[in-house]
Amino acid sequence: MTTLLSTSHVSLIAQANTLSVNGDLTVNAAADVAAVGVKWLESAQLTEVTLDFFGVTRASSAAISVLFEWLRACHLLGVVVTSIMLSAPLERLTSLAELDALIKSPNAEA
């Protein structure tokens, strides 16, 4: 387990082929979390990855933005996203925004 980023509100952890976000992923932290996650994806040389947002405590469009940034990076790098785990608040937000189909099938062609 490697802590890639840690602030008083949010942490980003890499373990094996999983990238995990925990805490309150606010707009203020989103750019750093997204950038550090992309950098890890680029350097880890993975063929597949799990994106774990289960520990995100509040629903936020910032968290969804980070997720989509990582999905774009995975697509460009040829990394298969095997699973996306969302916290209950994020699941409700993605359903309300009608984004759940995109998140449940991240490798589907648009």
Side-chain angles (χ1 to χ4, degrees), residues 39-109:
K39 185 176 178 181
W40 179 79
L41 288 165
E42 291 170 343
S43 67
Q45 299 180 350
L46 302 171
T47 57
E48 58 185 34
V49 69
T50 294
L51 303 177
D52 180 0
F53 285 73
F54 195 75
V56 174
T57 54
R58 287 194 302 157
S60 164
S61 60
I64 302 302
S65 295
V66 170
L67 172 60
F68 282 125
E69 181 66 22
W70 290 352
L71 288 172
R72 277 190 292 276
C74 288
H75 178 75
L76 291 172
L77 295 166
V79 176
V80 174
V81 178
T82 57
S83 177
I84 298 171
M85 297 183 290
L86 300 177
S87 63
L90 283 178
E91 280 195 15
R92 285 191 298 274
L93 177 61
T94 59
S95 180
L96 181 65
E98 299 180 352
L99 297 172
D100 39 359
L102 289 172
I103 293 170
K104 299 224 185 297
S105 304
N107 294 315
E109 294 296 319

Side-chain angles (χ1 to χ4, degrees), residues 19-42:
L19 195 53
S20 302
V21 182
N22 296 292
D24 186 6
L25 183 50
T26 64
V27 171
N28 294 334
D32 289 339
V33 171
V36 171
V38 168
K39 185 176 178 181
W40 179 79
L41 288 165
E42 291 170 343

